[in-house]
Amino acid sequence: MKNNFILRALTSVVYVTLVSAGIMLGSYYFMCLFAIITVLCLWEFYGLINSKGNVQINKLYNSFGGLILFLSTYLYASGAFPFYIFYPYFLYIMVVFIVELYEKQEDPISHLAHIFLGQFYIALPLSVLNLIAFIPSNEGGSVYSPLMLLALFVFVWINDTGAYTIGVLFGKHRLFERISPKKSWEGFFGGLAFAIASAFVFSYIFTDSGIPYYHWVGIAASVSIFGTWGDLTESLIKRTLNVKDSGNTMPGHGGFLDRLDSILLAAYAVLFYINIFIQN
């Protein structure tokens, strides 16, 4: 138990350091890191689907498709290219359907559905991170601004830590027993409280950002709520496939998808919040 705790802690430190550095060092570091993460998460997801045995998905080809979407969104959000940069991804979608005509899959509808589930569940929300990372500049273009992106990840990490700690100490009432028996309402509200508390710290540290404290609180609350739903969504998928973890690439934590599950819905929530309440 002690060795497992140390292993989990060391893995968390490396992961948090790597992601934080990738975000804060600049747009190219962010692009390279999350392009790799997008591919790894898709690779894990399609591997889980293949392990079920009903369909067999080409992991390499479809993970590459998700990479095209991420890079296209990066180039569009950064202002380097107009909308036509998405044409290669549209071509990928066309090819997926055309190839399906010739593959003679036993269940082509299920095969297509699982392919595009990976694209919509993983590649799309990770691509949305680009829309959070780049903001309009005074000159009319876009500029890389990592603060909100960093806040998204920090709030998720703190929420998860608070939810786990309070859940272990005080958890009695099950949050969603059918999908995740260990999660409790006490843990959920504990994570929410931790996230909101960290929002005040963000407000104090980044006073020059021009974002008032109540917006930091709103973002933290949104991340906590939608991050929890994101976690539960992955739990639903794993329970359906009868697996414990998405992979074993992160010692003590499972796979990359296990670490990114909360981000997948929280990214949309942060994007909505920014565009509705801050940049509007």
Side-chain angles (χ1 to χ4, degrees):
M1 179 70 74
K2 181 179 179 181
N3 290 337
N4 185 57
F5 175 79
I6 294 174
L7 183 63
R8 285 178 59 87
L10 289 175
T11 302
S12 294
V13 169
V14 172
Y15 169 73
V16 168
T17 301
L18 182 64
V19 171
S20 300
I23 291 172
M24 298 305 294
L25 286 177
S27 63
Y28 292 111
Y29 293 94
F30 159 74
M31 177 194 68
C32 292
L33 176 62
F34 281 91
I36 293 171
I37 288 176
T38 299
V39 171
L40 291 175
C41 287
L42 284 167
W43 189 272
E44 288 179 356
F45 176 80
Y46 289 132
L48 290 178
I49 299 301
N50 288 346
S51 68
K52 189 177 180 182
N54 294 345
V55 295
Q56 289 299 306
I57 295 172
N58 187 318
K59 296 194 295 182
L60 180 61
Y61 171 71
N62 290 290
S63 296
F64 182 71
L67 175 63
I68 293 174
L69 178 59
F70 178 84
L71 294 178
S72 298
T73 310
Y74 172 86
L75 293 172
Y76 176 76
S78 66
F81 286 89
F83 187 77
Y84 67 70
I85 193 61
F86 288 101
Y87 288 3
Y89 187 71
F90 298 157
L91 178 62
Y92 157 75
I93 294 175
M94 293 166 59
V95 170
V96 168
F97 282 106
I98 295 170
V99 168
E100 194 68 37
L101 296 173
Y102 298 94
E103 281 202 335
K104 298 179 181 179
Q105 291 281 340
E106 182 178 344
D107 187 352
I109 293 178
S110 180
H111 189 244
L112 286 170
H114 283 95
I115 288 173
F116 288 116
L117 176 60
Q119 298 298 307
F120 282 103
Y121 174 55
I122 296 170
L124 184 59
L126 290 180
S127 297
V128 163
L129 296 179
N130 292 291
L131 303 179
I132 298 173
F134 288 93
I135 62 174
S137 67
N138 294 330
E139 290 75 26
S142 298
V143 61
Y144 182 70
S145 179
L147 181 58
M148 201 61 71
L149 195 61
L150 180 66
L152 165 60
F153 279 87
V154 170
F155 292 158
V156 163
W157 295 333
I158 292 178
N159 175 76
D160 289 348
T161 301
Y164 176 79
T165 302
I166 301 301
V168 168
L169 294 176
F170 305 106
K172 292 182 180 180
H173 301 87
R174 297 303 95 186
L175 175 65
F176 219 124
E177 190 168 7
R178 177 174 61 88
I179 294 175
S180 187
K182 293 183 179 180
K183 286 184 173 58
S184 66
W185 280 106
E186 290 83 358
F188 167 73
F189 286 112
L192 178 62
F194 272 56
I196 290 176
S198 68
F200 285 100
V201 175
F202 250 77
S203 175
Y204 178 78
I205 295 176
F206 299 105
T207 53
D208 58 347
S209 68
I211 301 175
Y213 74 91
Y214 51 84
H215 280 321
W216 286 118
V217 170
I219 292 171
S222 300
V223 167
S224 178
I225 294 168
F226 285 90
T228 300
W229 274 327
D231 190 305
L232 289 169
T233 299
E234 201 221 2
S235 295
L236 174 64
I237 292 173
K238 291 190 294 184
R239 182 168 288 272
T240 302
L241 297 174
N242 196 29
V243 295
K244 182 177 184 295
D245 298 314
S246 66
N248 54 12
T249 51
M250 300 186 68
H253 291 272
F256 277 93
L257 188 54
D258 292 317
R259 293 296 300 172
L260 270 293
D261 55 2
S262 298
I263 297 293
L264 299 180
L265 289 187
Y268 294 116
V270 171
L271 180 66
F272 293 155
Y273 193 98
I274 292 172
N275 282 277
I276 294 173
F277 298 108
I278 297 179
Q279 291 184 357
N280 191 9

